[in-house]
C-alpha cells in the first residue's frame, strides 16, 4: 500500500508547553486509523499539528503527505493538497456566513443543495458556529468537509457532544465521506482518515483498519482497533501485549 501520511519523530509545542514528544505514525492510502488515549495525552495537538494550525509549533521531526514534506506549509496549502479536519471545538467565526464558506470550499455550483441532507439549510445565512448546538457544529463541520472533498480527513471526536438522535446522521455522513457512498463497508476506500475517539461509537459506522494508543505525547503501541477498544474499556490504558502489533 502507498503511504498517505507518515509522521517521523514529531515534537511540537502548544502554548509554550512541550506536548508531542517524538510521535511516529503512518496512515496508508485508503486506511482508517483510530487514535485512542487519555485526556491530555496530545491527541488533539497531533491533529492540529498535522493540519498546520498556528497554535502548534513543530520543534523537531517531520510530516510527510503523499511523500512530500509538509512540515513548513500553511493550513491553506495543506487544504489545497487534500487534507481536511473536523475540529472537536471549532471557534465561532463572526461575520462569515456558513453558506459562503461552503461555497468557497467547493467547485460545485449546487453545493448548497447538500445542506438539507445535513439538516443545515436553516443555518446557511448564520455566522459560523455562533449559537450552534454541539450536534449542529458537527453537522456544519461535516457539510464543509463534504464540500471540500479532501483525500485525507482528520476527525477529532466526531461523536462527542452529539445527542442520541443525531449520532446516526453524524455516523452516516462520516461514512459517506470515507466510502464515497457506493462502497458501503467494503475495503475499497478512496479516502484516508485519522480519527480520535474516546467512546468508540464511531467505529459502529466507519469500521477501522488500525488503532494507535497515545500517552504522554507519544504513540505507545498500535494494534487491531476493536481489540484495543475492548482492552481499554476493561483495563484502562495499560499496555496491551496481546493486541499490540507495533511498539512505536
Amino acid at each position: 500500500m502507498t503511504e498517505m501520511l507518515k509522521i517521523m519523530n514529531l515534537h511540537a509545542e502548544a502554548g509554550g508547553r512541550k506536548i508531542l514528544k517524538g510521535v511516529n505514525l503512518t496512515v496508508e492510502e485508503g486506511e482508517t486509523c483510530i487514535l485512542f488515549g487519555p485526556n491530555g495525552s496530545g491527541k488533539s495537538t497531533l491533529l492540529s499539528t498535522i493540519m498546520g494550525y498556528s497554535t502548534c509549533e513543530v520543534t523537531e521531526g517531520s510530516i510527510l503527505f503523499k511523500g512530500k514534506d509538509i512540515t513548513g506549509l500553511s493550513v491553506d496549502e495543506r487544504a489545497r493538497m487534500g487534507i481536511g479536519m473536523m475540529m472537536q471545538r471549532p471557534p465561532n467565526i463572526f461575520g462569515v456566513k456558513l453558506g459562503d464558506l461552503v461555497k468557497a470550499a467547493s467547485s460545485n455550483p449546487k453545493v448548497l443543495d447538500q445542506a438539507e441532507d445535513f439538516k443545515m439549510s436553516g443555518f446557511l445565512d448564520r455566522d459560523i458556529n455562533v449559537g450552534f448546538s454541539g450536534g449542529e457544529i458537527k453537522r456544519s463541520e461535516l457539510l464543509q468537509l463534504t464540500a471540500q472533498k479532501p483525500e485525507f480527513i482528520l476527525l477529532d471526536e466526531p461523536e462527542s457532544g452529539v445527542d442520541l438522535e443525531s449520532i446516526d446522521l453524524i455516523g452516516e455522513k462520516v461514512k459517506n465521506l470515507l466510502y464515497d457512498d457506493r462502497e458501503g463497508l467494503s475495503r475499497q476506500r478512496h479516502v484516508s482518515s485519522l480519527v480520535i475517539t474516546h467512546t468508540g461509537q464511531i467505529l459502529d459506522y466507519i469500521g477501522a483498519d488500525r488503532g494507535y494508543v497515545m500517552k504522554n505525547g507519544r504513540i505507545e503501541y498500535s494494534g487491531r482497533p476493536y481489540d484495543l477498544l475492548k482492552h481499554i474499556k476493561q483495563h484502562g490504558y495499560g499496555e496491551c501485549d496481546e493486541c499490540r502489533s507495533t511498539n512505536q
Side-chain angles (χ1 to χ4, degrees), residues 3-8 25-27 62-66:
E3 290 178 346
M4 182 65 75
L5 179 77
K6 186 175 182 65
I7 296 174
M8 297 179 292
L25 181 149
T26 301
V27 180
S62 57
I63 304 169
L64 303 182
F65 180 64
K66 295 193 291 187

Side-chain angles (χ1 to χ4, degrees), residues 140-157:
S140 170
E141 292 272 288
L142 286 171
L143 175 60
Q144 295 167 49
L145 281 175
T146 299
Q148 181 189 349
K149 293 185 177 180
E151 295 179 69
F152 186 85
I153 300 175
L154 302 163
L155 301 175
D156 193 346
E157 294 192 49

Side-chain angles (χ1 to χ4, degrees), residues 80-187:
R80 284 195 292 269
M81 288 182 68
I83 304 176
M85 180 169 172
M86 177 189 197
M87 300 176 67
Q88 184 183 0
R89 297 184 184 90
N92 295 341
I93 305 178
F94 294 93
V96 180
K97 305 302 181 187
L98 175 60
D100 292 338
L101 181 61
V102 171
K103 286 191 292 185
S106 175
S107 59
N108 179 4
K110 296 183 178 180
V111 66
L112 295 185
D113 293 346
Q114 299 180 73
E116 181 62 33
D117 293 338
F118 293 81
K119 298 183 180 180
M120 295 301 293
S121 295
F123 295 79
L124 296 176
D125 291 325
R126 291 176 55 176
D127 289 357
I128 297 168
N129 299 329
V130 178
F132 289 18
S133 70
E136 289 161 356
I137 288 174
K138 298 295 186 185
R139 299 201 304 272
S140 170
E141 292 272 288
L142 286 171
L143 175 60
Q144 295 167 49
L145 281 175
T146 299
Q148 181 189 349
K149 293 185 177 180
E151 295 179 69
F152 186 85
I153 300 175
L154 302 163
L155 301 175
D156 193 346
E157 294 192 49
E159 70 272 62
S160 71
V162 178
D163 59 41
L164 292 176
E165 185 178 2
S166 299
I167 186 63
D168 277 346
L169 176 59
I170 299 297
E172 287 299 319
K173 292 305 178 184
V174 171
K175 185 177 76 172
N176 290 347
L177 277 170
L178 301 182
Y179 293 93
D180 195 25
D181 286 325
R182 296 166 295 180
E183 303 294 349
L185 284 177
S186 73
R187 289 305 179 199

Side-chain angles (χ1 to χ4, degrees), residues 200-217:
Q201 281 180 291
I202 195 65
L203 292 174
D204 294 337
Y205 299 90
I206 65 173
D209 303 290
R210 185 168 15 168
Y212 290 99
V213 175
M214 190 170 191
K215 298 189 330 187
N216 301 315

Side-chain angles (χ1 to χ4, degrees), residues 32-36 208-213 221-225 228 245:
T32 290
C33 292
I34 303 297
L35 187 59
F36 300 106
D209 303 290
R210 185 168 15 168
Y212 290 99
V213 175
Y221 50 95
S222 67
R224 295 179 293 272
L228 292 174
S245 64

